[in-house]
C-alpha cells in the first residue's frame, strides 16, 4: 500500500499534558481519512503536526515518501484548514486567495475566482472579509486550503458552522475532489458527519489512537444482526434455510447470528413455533457507528481507569470510583 | 522564499497603515521645521542638499518609531487572524517566514528613511522657492562662480577648505544616514525576535516607541559600569550609539580636525556594531521560530 501520509509514534506534550501519545496513522493515496475523536482528543494537534504548523515532541511522519524535515518541493502539495479559518479581515475574499497564490508562486490568474465559485462565494468575491458571515468565512477557509490544487488536503472539523445544505455541498466538494485524485485527512467529533464520505477511520481519544479501520471493516464490525437461541439448534437452522435465510452463522455456544433480513424476527419465531421448537431468546442487534465509537472510547477509558486503580495502591482506591461518577 | 517575500510586500502595499505612517512623518517634519523657524531670528532662504541630509538625521528616530509601529501592527495582525496558518504548511521551514519578515521589514525601514529624506528635500525646496532663496547641492557660496573669479588667494584657500568640509559633511551624513537605516533594521530584527518569542504585538508597540530600548540600555549600561567600571558601554548600544551619530554632522560644521576624531572610528564602529546586532537578533528570531509552533 502506498501511503501518502504515515505517522510513526507521534507524541506531543504541552507542559504536563500529553496531547498525543504514540499516534501512528496511515493515510493511503486517494483515501478520505476520517479522524474521529471528542473535543480535546488531540485531532487538531495531530493535524497541526502533519500540516507543518507544529513540531512533534517525539516521533516522526512521512509525507509522500519523504521524512518530515526533508519534504522539499512537495511541500506545496498540501493544503490545510486548521480550526477556524485564518483570513485577512481587511482584504476581499478574492485578495485573500491571491496572497496565498503569490506565496506559492501560482501564476494562474483564474484560479482564485474558480475557487470562490467552487465554494459558492463568487458573489462575495469583492466583499471585505470583515463583512462575511461565519459560514462564509468557513467557505473561504476551505477555498484557501485548495489553492494550488494540492494532492493532500487537511480539513479540521470543516463542517462546523454550516447549515445542512452547506454540509451537503461540502460533502459533494470533497467527493468531487477525491474523484480527481485528492487525498483527505478530515477530523470530526461526530462520526455520522463523515460516515457518508470517509473511506478509512482513525479513532482517537485522550491523545491515543484507539483503532484504525477501513470503512468496509467498520461496516463489518457494526453489521446489524439477529441473535437467536433456540431449543434445538440444528433443527432451527433447517427451518431458517426453509424460510429463506442464507447469511447466518452458528456460534460455538449454539447461538445463531443472522446477518440478513434482520426485520423478520416475527417470521422466525412463528416458523419455529409451528415446528414445535421453543425460542429461548431472540434479539435484534443493530450497532450504530456512533455506538461503536462510544464503546471504543468507553473501553479505552475503562482501561485507563483500571490502570490507574492498579497503580494507585490501597490508600486512594476511591479516587477511581469518583472519576467514574464524574464521567 | 522569493514568493513568500513577494506575498509579504503585497500585503504591505495593500495596507492603508503603510501609507498613513509617512503622512505622520511628513506632519512631524512640517511642525518641527515651522516651530524652529519661529525661534530663529534670521531666516536664511537658501537651501542646500548637504545640510538637508544632515538635518534629516534629526528625524531618524521618528522614522524608526514609525517603521517599528507599522511592522508590529502588520505582524501582529497576521498572527491574530491566523492567516499564517494557510502559508506555514507550505514552506520548507518556518524560519523562511521569519527571514522574509526580516527582509521586508528592513525594506520598510529603508523606504521610510528615504521618504523622510525626500520629504525634507522637497519641503526645503518649496521653502527656498517661497522665500526667494536658492536651492543647490552644496552650500550656495561655494557655487558662486562670479565671486570666486574675483577672490584673493587666501580667500580661495579658505573656500577650498570649506568645500572640503562640505564634502566631508556629505560623506559623514551619508554614512550616518546608512547607520540609522541599519539601526532601524536592528530595531526591526529585535522586534521580530521578541515577536517570535512572545507571539504578542504588545511588547512590540512598547519597544518600537523606543521607551524600553533606552530604558533597558540605560540599565545595562549602569549594571556593566557597576561591575566593570567600564564607562563607555553606551557606545556599544543601539540607541545611544545612534544618538551620538545624530550629533556628528553638527560637529562637522565646526572644523575638520574635530571631524577626524570621530571619523572613521565612530561611524565605522557603529555600523559594524549594528550589523552584529542585526545578525544576532535575526538568528535568535529564526532559532525561536523554528522551534515554536505556528
Ligand atoms: N497550545 C496548547 N497549549 C497547551 N495545551 C494544548 C494546546 N493545544 C492543545 N492543547 C491541549 O491538547 C489537547 C488536545 O487538543 P486538540 O488537539 O485541540 O483537541 P481536538 O482538536 O481533538 O479537540 C487538549 O487537552 C488541549 O487542551
Ligand atoms: Mg480541534
Amino acid at each position: 500500500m502506498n501511503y501518502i501520509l504515515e505517522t510513526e509514534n507521534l507524541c506531543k506534550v504541552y507542559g504536563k499534558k500529553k496531547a498525543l501519545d504514540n499516534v501512528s496513522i496511515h493515510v493511503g493515496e486517494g483515501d478520505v481519512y476520517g479522524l474521529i475523536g471528542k473535543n480535546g482528543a488531540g485531532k487538531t494537534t495531530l493535524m497541526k503536526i502533519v500540516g507543518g504548523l507544529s513540531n512533534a515532541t517525539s516521533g516522526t511522519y512521512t509525507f509522500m515518501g519523504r521524512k518530515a524535515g526533508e519534504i522539499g518541493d512537495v511541500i506545496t502539495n498540501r493544503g490545510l484548514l486548521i480550526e477556524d479559518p485564518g483570513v485577512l479581515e481587511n482584504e476581499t475574499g478574492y485578495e485573500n486567495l491571491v496572497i496565498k497564490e503569490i506565496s506559492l508562486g501560482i501564476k494562474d490568474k483564474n484560479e482564485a475566482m474558480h475557487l470562490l465559485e467552487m465554494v459558492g462565494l463568487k458573489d462575495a468575491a469583492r466583499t471585505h472579509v470583515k463583512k462575511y458571515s461565519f459560514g462564509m468565512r468557513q467557505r473561504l477557509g476551505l477555498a484557501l486550503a485548495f489553492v494550488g490544487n494540492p494532492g493532500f488536503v487537511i480539513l479540521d472539523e470543516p463542517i462546523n458552522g454550516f447549515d445542512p445544505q452547506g454540509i451537503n455541498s461540502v460533502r459533494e466538494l470533497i467527493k468531487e475532489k477525491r474523484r480527481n485524485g485528492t487525498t483527505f485527512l478530515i477530523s470530526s467529533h461526530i462520526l455520522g458527519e463523515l460516515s457518508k464520505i470517509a473511506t478509512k477511520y482513525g479513532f482517537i481519544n485522550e491523545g491515543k489512537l484507539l483503532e484504525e479501520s477501513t470503512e468496509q471493516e467498520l461496516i463489518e464490525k457494526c453489521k446489524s444482526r439477529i441473535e437467536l437461541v433456540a431449543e434445538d439448534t440444528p433443527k432451527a437452522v433447517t427451518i431458517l434455510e426453509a424460510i429463506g435465510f442464507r447469511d447466518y452463522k452458528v456460534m460455538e455456544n449454539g447461538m445463531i447470528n443472522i446477518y440478513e433480513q434482520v426485520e423478520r424476527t416475527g417470521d422466525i419465531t412463528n416458523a419455529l413455533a409451528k415446528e414445535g421448537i421453543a425460542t429461548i431468546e431472540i434479539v435484534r442487534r443493530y450497532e450504530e457507528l456512533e455506538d461503536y465509537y462510544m464503546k471504543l472510547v468507553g473501553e479505552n477509558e475503562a482501561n485507563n481507569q483500571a490502570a490507574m486503580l492498579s497503580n494507585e495502591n490501597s490508600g486512594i482506591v476511591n479516587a477511581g470510583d469518583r472519576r467514574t461518577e464524574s464521567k | 522564499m522569493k514568493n513568500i517575500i513577494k506575498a509579504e510586500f503585497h500585503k504591505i502595499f495593500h495596507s492603508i497603515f503603510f501609507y498613513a505612517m509617512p503622512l505622520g512623518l511628513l506632519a512631524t517634519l512640517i511642525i518641527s521645521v515651522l516651530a524652529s523657524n519661529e525661534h530663529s531670528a534670521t531666516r536664511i532662504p537658501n537651501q542646500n542638499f548637504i545640510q538637508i541630509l544632515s538635518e534629516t538625521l534629526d528625524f531618524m528616530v521618528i522614522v524608526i518609531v514609525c517603521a517599528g509601529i507599522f511592522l508590529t501592527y502588520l505582524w501582529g495582525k497576521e498572527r491574530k487572524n491566523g492567516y499564517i496558518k494557510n502559508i506555514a504548511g507550505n514552506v520548507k521551514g518556518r524560519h523562511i517566514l521569519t527571514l522574509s519578515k526580516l527582509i521586508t521589514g528592513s525594506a520598510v525601514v529603508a523606504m521610510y528613511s528615504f521618504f523622510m529624506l525626500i520629504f525634507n528635500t522637497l519641503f526645503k525646496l518649496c521653502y527656498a522657492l517661497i522665500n526667494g532663496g536658492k536651492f543647490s547641492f552644496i552650500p550656495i557660496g561655494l557655487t558662486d562662480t562670479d565671486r570666486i573669479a574675483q577672490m584673493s588667494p587666501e580667500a580661495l584657500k579658505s573656500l577650498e577648505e570649506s568645500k572640503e568640509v562640505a564634502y566631508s559633511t556629505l560623506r559623514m551624513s551619508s554614512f550616518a544616514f546608512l547607520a540609522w537605516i541599519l539601526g532601524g533594521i536592528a530595531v526591526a530584527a529585535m522586534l521580530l525576535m521578541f515577536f517570535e518569542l512572545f507571539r504578542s504585538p504588545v511588547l512590540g508597540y512598547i519597544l518600537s516607541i523606543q521607551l524600553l530600548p533606552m530604558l533597558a540600555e540605560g540599565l545595562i549600561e549602569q549594571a556593566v559600569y557597576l561591575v566593570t567600571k567600564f564607562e563607555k558601554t553606551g557606545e556599544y548600544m543601539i540607541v545611544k550609539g545612534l544618538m551620538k551619530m545624530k550629533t556628528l554632522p553638527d560637529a562637522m560644521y565646526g572644523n575638520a580636525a574635530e571631524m577626524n576624531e570621530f571619523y572613521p572610528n565612530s561611524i565605522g564602529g557603529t555600523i559594524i556594531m549594528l550589523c552584529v546586532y542585526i545578525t544576532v537578533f535575526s538568528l535568535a528570531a529564526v532559532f525561536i521560530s523554528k522551534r515554536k509552533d505556528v
Side-chain angles (χ1 to χ4, degrees):
Chain A
M1 179 80 201
N2 255 352
Y3 293 123
I4 199 163
L5 173 78
E6 205 179 346
T7 73
E8 249 173 77
N9 301 321
L10 282 183
C11 292
K12 178 79 183 182
V13 180
Y14 289 116
K16 280 186 181 167
K17 166 111 196 151
K18 213 164 190 184
L20 281 187
D21 190 357
N22 281 307
V23 172
S24 305
I25 62 165
H26 306 82
V27 184
E29 215 164 330
D31 268 344
V32 175
Y33 191 107
L35 196 60
I36 315 289
K38 298 189 296 193
N39 288 328
K43 306 181 294 294
T44 301
T45 308
L46 176 61
M47 291 176 135
K48 275 185 178 168
I49 293 173
V50 298
L53 301 188
S54 159
N55 299 336
T57 310
S58 68
T60 181
Y61 68 92
T62 315
F63 178 62
M64 297 182 84
R66 307 195 199 187
K67 285 252 177 252
E70 299 160 14
I71 289 177
D73 292 331
V74 294
I75 201 96
T76 51
N77 204 17
R78 69 184 170 195
L80 33 96
L81 167 59
I82 301 279
E83 289 183 324
D84 32 71
V87 286
L88 300 167
E89 298 284 326
N90 292 327
E91 302 281 3
T92 62
Y94 180 79
E95 200 57 43
N96 265 278
L97 292 171
V98 166
I99 291 172
K100 179 157 180 188
E101 284 172 356
I102 298 173
S103 310
L104 299 191
I106 291 165
K107 299 280 185 315
D108 183 2
K109 288 271 170 271
N110 300 321
E111 196 202 28
M113 227 18 158
H114 182 78
L115 286 170
L116 286 170
E117 201 174 339
M118 182 183 87
V119 297
L121 279 181
K122 200 175 172 214
D123 295 336
R126 304 289 177 190
T127 310
H128 279 98
V129 171
K130 58 185 166 210
K131 292 184 191 147
Y132 276 23
S133 70
F134 186 79
M136 285 163 90
R137 273 160 212 264
Q138 199 76 11
R139 281 166 200 269
L140 182 58
L142 213 50
L144 277 164
F146 287 104
V147 168
N149 197 19
F152 181 57
V153 175
I154 299 174
L155 303 175
D156 188 11
E157 313 220 13
I159 288 163
N160 268 1
F162 280 106
D163 48 29
Q165 214 177 348
I167 292 178
N168 226 16
S169 65
V170 174
R171 282 208 184 103
E172 287 311 313
L173 174 65
I174 293 169
K175 279 183 195 160
E176 193 203 315
K177 283 281 172 185
R178 188 184 169 231
R179 275 196 291 277
N180 298 333
T182 309
T183 305
F184 285 90
L185 175 61
I186 306 180
S187 75
S188 176
H189 58 279
I190 305 164
L191 180 59
E193 266 181 4
L194 298 184
S195 65
K196 291 181 188 125
I197 45 174
T199 59
K200 193 172 181 183
Y201 295 92
F203 296 100
I204 184 170
N205 192 48
E206 294 181 358
K208 288 200 185 72
L209 186 72
L210 303 181
E211 185 177 295
E212 212 178 18
S213 42
T214 64
E215 193 192 19
Q216 208 49 49
E217 287 166 347
L218 202 61
I219 288 174
E220 209 60 46
K221 282 173 193 158
C222 301
K223 218 169 177 180
S224 40
R225 60 178 189 268
I226 299 170
E227 289 176 3
L228 170 67
V229 183
E231 239 174 19
D232 183 341
T233 308
K235 249 190 177 167
V237 169
T238 31
I239 293 164
L240 284 176
E241 286 276 345
I243 59 171
F245 287 94
R246 298 289 174 270
D247 188 5
Y248 60 85
K249 202 167 167 187
V250 181
M251 313 305 281
E252 276 174 26
N253 58 3
M255 182 191 278
I256 308 168
N257 284 355
I258 305 162
Y259 301 109
E260 56 173 350
Q261 309 172 62
V262 288
E263 66 289 344
R264 290 181 60 194
T265 44
D267 289 357
I268 295 171
T269 41
N270 282 343
L272 288 175
K274 240 189 234 165
E275 298 294 324
I277 298 169
T279 305
I280 297 167
E281 188 188 329
I282 184 162
V283 270
R284 198 160 88 192
R285 298 236 180 258
Y286 183 80
E287 201 162 31
E288 293 273 359
L289 288 179
E290 210 64 50
D291 296 338
Y292 178 74
Y293 161 59
M294 292 311 286
K295 204 174 77 192
L296 257 182
V297 171
E299 276 167 18
N300 172 252
E301 280 169 5
N303 286 347
N304 284 352
Q305 274 165 17
M308 247 184 274
L309 274 180
S310 61
N311 286 342
E312 295 166 2
N313 290 332
S314 51
I316 32 172
V317 171
N318 282 338
D321 298 339
R322 249 182 273 123
R323 266 185 211 109
T324 325
E325 279 160 22
S326 68
K327 279 269 148 61
Chain B
M1 178 122 156
K2 202 181 78 198
N3 292 325
I4 303 285
I5 292 173
K6 259 194 217 163
E8 203 69 34
F9 274 127
H10 186 94
K11 272 181 282 184
I12 289 172
F13 294 137
H14 256 242
S15 169
I16 297 169
F17 210 31
F18 174 75
Y19 303 99
M21 278 297 167
L23 287 184
L25 292 180
L26 190 59
T28 317
L29 179 76
I30 293 173
I31 291 167
S32 65
V33 170
L34 291 184
S36 75
N37 267 1
E38 283 301 309
H39 292 294
S40 63
T42 53
R43 296 188 183 195
I44 309 155
N46 292 339
Q47 300 288 338
N48 69 81
F49 180 76
I50 292 178
Q51 190 162 2
I52 291 171
L53 180 61
S54 89
E55 280 167 6
T56 303
L57 299 176
D58 289 341
F59 296 101
M60 290 305 277
V61 172
I62 195 81
V63 166
I64 295 180
V65 169
C66 284
I69 291 176
F70 171 68
L71 292 174
T72 306
Y73 162 79
L74 184 79
W75 298 337
K77 195 178 68 171
E78 194 180 63
R79 168 94 24 214
K80 190 161 155 255
N81 60 34
Y83 192 81
I84 200 161
K85 287 191 292 189
N86 298 308
I87 313 287
N90 297 115
V91 291
K92 285 176 197 163
R94 288 197 295 280
H95 59 284
I96 288 180
L97 299 173
T98 313
L99 282 177
S100 308
K101 282 195 171 70
L102 182 73
I103 290 167
T104 50
S106 306
V108 167
V109 171
M111 277 188 275
Y112 280 6
S113 305
F114 280 101
F115 283 162
M116 198 66 199
L117 182 60
I118 292 166
F119 287 155
N120 203 4
T121 310
L122 290 178
F123 185 72
K124 297 285 166 58
L125 181 65
C126 294
Y127 182 85
L129 289 179
I130 290 166
N131 292 301
K134 281 185 181 157
F135 183 86
S136 58
F137 184 71
I138 60 173
I140 201 104
L142 306 180
T143 56
D144 206 340
T145 41
D146 290 344
R147 245 184 64 208
I148 291 171
Q150 299 162 6
M151 270 179 174
S152 64
E154 294 86 55
L156 263 180
K157 190 161 174 282
S158 92
L159 182 71
E160 282 304 314
E161 274 174 6
S162 15
K163 253 189 185 166
E164 198 182 302
V165 170
Y167 282 115
S168 325
T169 311
L170 177 66
R171 216 164 42 232
M172 283 274 302
S173 304
S174 309
F175 271 117
F177 187 65
L178 176 70
W180 271 96
I181 293 179
L182 285 179
I185 294 173
V187 170
M190 179 174 67
L191 291 177
L192 188 61
M193 181 183 75
F194 283 119
F195 186 72
E196 290 296 337
L197 192 60
F198 299 113
R199 294 291 162 79
S200 152
V202 177
L203 187 63
Y205 284 125
I206 299 171
L207 283 178
S208 56
I209 53 176
Q210 302 267 325
L211 263 174
L212 263 188
M214 282 197 219
L215 257 173
E217 286 189 353
L219 276 177
I220 294 169
E221 195 182 346
Q222 282 170 19
V224 171
Y225 177 73
L226 280 177
V227 177
T228 64
K229 303 280 175 242
F230 179 65
E231 282 174 5
K232 290 186 175 174
T233 321
E235 286 180 18
Y236 299 94
M237 292 181 169
I238 298 178
V239 182
K240 281 232 172 168
L242 287 172
M243 282 301 178
K244 202 178 62 191
M245 187 108 337
K246 193 179 69 154
T247 57
L248 279 186
D250 296 342
M252 288 287 313
Y253 276 105
N255 65 58
E258 211 175 307
M259 172 195 81
N260 285 332
E261 279 172 22
F262 287 110
Y263 181 80
N265 283 352
S266 189
I267 291 190
T270 307
I271 287 178
I272 291 170
M273 180 196 83
L274 290 171
C275 291
V276 170
Y277 273 120
I278 293 171
T279 315
V280 169
F281 290 145
S282 325
L283 287 180
V286 164
F287 180 84
I288 295 164
S289 67
K290 275 183 102 160
R291 270 149 196 81
K292 272 209 163 186
D293 298 345
V294 167

